[in-house]
Amino acid sequence: MKRLKDILRNVCITFTVLALVFGIACKMHILESVMYEEAIFTLFVMALATTLFVMIRESILPNIEVGKGIIDMIGCMVIVLFICVIKGWATLSRAYFIMIFAMVFIIYLSVWLLTWWQSKRDEKELNALLKRKDSKNKD
Amino acid sequence: MKLNIEQSDQYKEVEITIKYSSTDAYLERLINQIRAYGYVIQGKTEKDTILVRADDIFYFESIEGKTFIYGEKEVYRCDLRLYQIEQQFCNGLFVRISKSNILNVEKLKSFRAKLNGRLEAKLINGECLEVKRHYVADLKKCLLEMGGLR
């Protein structure tokens, strides 16, 4: 039951994010011939498919640290793009795929680098504070 | 600050007296820490119920709605919920490090940044716990006050 609740929550979050991204993409004319009546159902299918992909990855590879984000990112991107192509919203061109992949990859890498850099700084600071506390306790 | 320590066989239990004219946040924290050392919590094993001293506790963990007390090697069940423990204990000696963990700061050995951007706290018994980014500021504040930095 808890699992079902988690799945539904993740699907809702993914659906909202996808709807926002697709709204922007349509407004900017990045996606073509989107039928708005069908879009909601398709976005829901996308959200469900990406959530299931992440769940399957979690059950097959639960303990990986670094590769987790990259696998999820590539898998979800392929699912979303593939559905877009099937629906006729985007053309299957290599340049299009490479461009989106590069953009997502750069964003992912920047976020990862920033987080890692921040945690390195925290590590240094916390260890210094811990050392200080221990030396004070010894005194 | 003057510190008087007296040791004698005539005393049956430890007595701490603090004399001050006006209090501040650091003094209150010190008082809370002293109080925390005197705290005991009821821990259950499969057979019986025992009282666990706060300074023997390494961390608390909540798993699927159940709360557990972790000592150096032993684990006990606890009837209190994690938020109740937080209200009672997180005033100097203990600090929340994730949604499901409350850690005794005195049992910390070191920190390590992991490649996924998360922090890992290593305890003196060799166990490792993950510190969520959301709670890093609280942890820093706690260590900062325990280290006497202003």
Side-chain angles (χ1 to χ4, degrees):
Chain A
M1 200 60 195
K2 196 171 175 282
R3 195 87 177 147
L4 190 71
K5 240 168 82 177
D6 286 345
I7 295 170
L8 279 172
R9 190 197 58 199
N10 289 344
V11 170
C12 288
I13 294 169
T14 321
F15 177 80
T16 316
V17 173
L18 282 172
L20 278 170
V21 172
F22 270 67
I24 295 164
C26 291
K27 282 280 169 208
M28 291 174 75
H29 305 287
I30 294 169
L31 293 176
E32 289 163 6
S33 38
V34 175
M35 298 290 284
Y36 289 101
E37 295 79 18
E38 292 174 13
I40 291 172
F41 177 72
T42 313
L43 287 180
F44 181 76
V45 172
M46 276 183 192
L48 195 69
T50 48
T51 306
L52 286 175
F53 175 80
V54 175
M55 270 182 60
I56 292 165
R57 200 268 309 143
E58 277 283 339
S59 56
I60 298 170
L61 303 161
N63 295 321
I64 49 164
E65 280 184 15
V66 188
K68 194 161 84 172
I70 295 172
I71 294 169
D72 288 351
M73 183 188 77
I74 295 172
C76 294
M77 214 176 70
V78 167
I79 290 168
V80 170
L81 287 177
F82 192 65
I83 295 174
C84 279
V85 171
I86 290 172
K87 293 300 292 179
W89 294 347
T91 45
L92 188 64
S93 82
R94 194 187 292 172
Y96 184 74
F97 269 82
I98 290 171
M99 189 189 76
I100 292 179
F101 178 77
M103 269 170 58
V104 177
F105 187 73
I106 288 165
I107 292 166
Y108 175 81
L109 207 66
S110 331
V111 171
W112 177 78
L113 268 172
L114 278 172
T115 321
W116 180 77
W117 179 65
Q118 181 63 45
S119 64
K120 269 281 168 201
R121 281 179 53 186
D122 287 338
E123 177 195 8
K124 224 174 162 180
E125 197 180 343
L126 284 165
N127 279 326
L129 287 170
L130 199 61
K131 218 173 166 183
R132 179 123 187 173
K133 178 187 80 67
D134 289 344
S135 63
K136 204 176 162 75
N137 281 356
K138 272 178 199 162
D139 292 342
Chain B
M1 187 183 80
K2 281 203 292 185
L3 181 66
N4 297 316
I5 300 170
E6 284 177 40
Q7 195 269 318
S8 169
D9 292 338
Q10 71 184 50
Y11 301 124
K12 284 181 181 163
E13 63 173 325
V14 178
E15 187 183 312
I16 299 167
T17 309
I18 297 169
K19 295 173 184 173
Y20 60 89
S21 59
S22 62
T23 182
D24 60 18
Y26 295 95
L27 186 60
E28 272 175 23
R29 200 162 182 95
L30 177 69
I31 294 167
N32 283 332
Q33 279 175 17
I34 294 166
R35 279 204 186 109
Y37 275 107
Y39 283 153
V40 284
I41 190 165
Q42 219 175 48
K44 288 177 180 172
T45 58
E46 274 179 23
K47 289 172 188 167
D48 48 11
T49 303
I50 60 157
L51 290 174
V52 189
R53 280 169 55 93
D55 50 335
D56 290 333
I57 299 168
F58 275 59
Y59 63 96
F60 295 97
E61 188 170 36
S62 170
I63 304 166
E64 291 174 356
K66 289 174 186 161
T67 311
F68 296 92
I69 304 166
Y70 291 80
E72 189 172 4
K73 282 172 187 163
E74 54 291 333
V75 184
Y76 308 101
R77 254 306 298 281
C78 176
D79 288 336
L80 294 174
R81 304 298 295 264
L82 212 60
Y83 77 91
Q84 292 171 312
I85 290 169
E86 191 178 15
Q87 284 167 1
Q88 202 178 328
F89 287 86
C90 289
N91 48 15
L93 194 61
F94 287 84
V95 67
R96 194 162 192 141
I97 56 162
S98 70
K99 213 173 159 186
S100 54
N101 289 110
I102 292 175
L103 172 76
N104 184 345
V105 186
E106 287 294 338
K107 308 296 180 191
L108 274 170
K109 191 182 177 192
S110 62
F111 293 96
R112 189 175 71 92
K114 289 164 83 180
L115 276 169
N116 60 3
R118 287 176 187 165
L119 273 168
E120 193 178 66
K122 193 170 182 186
L123 310 187
I124 50 174
N125 65 346
E127 272 192 77
C128 293
L129 292 175
E130 200 173 89
V131 182
K132 295 277 182 232
R133 300 213 58 78
H134 180 72
Y135 298 95
V136 171
D138 289 343
L139 188 58
K140 276 185 196 172
K141 200 178 151 202
C142 185
L143 286 172
L144 201 67
E145 284 170 8
M146 286 184 97
L149 294 176
R150 285 175 193 228

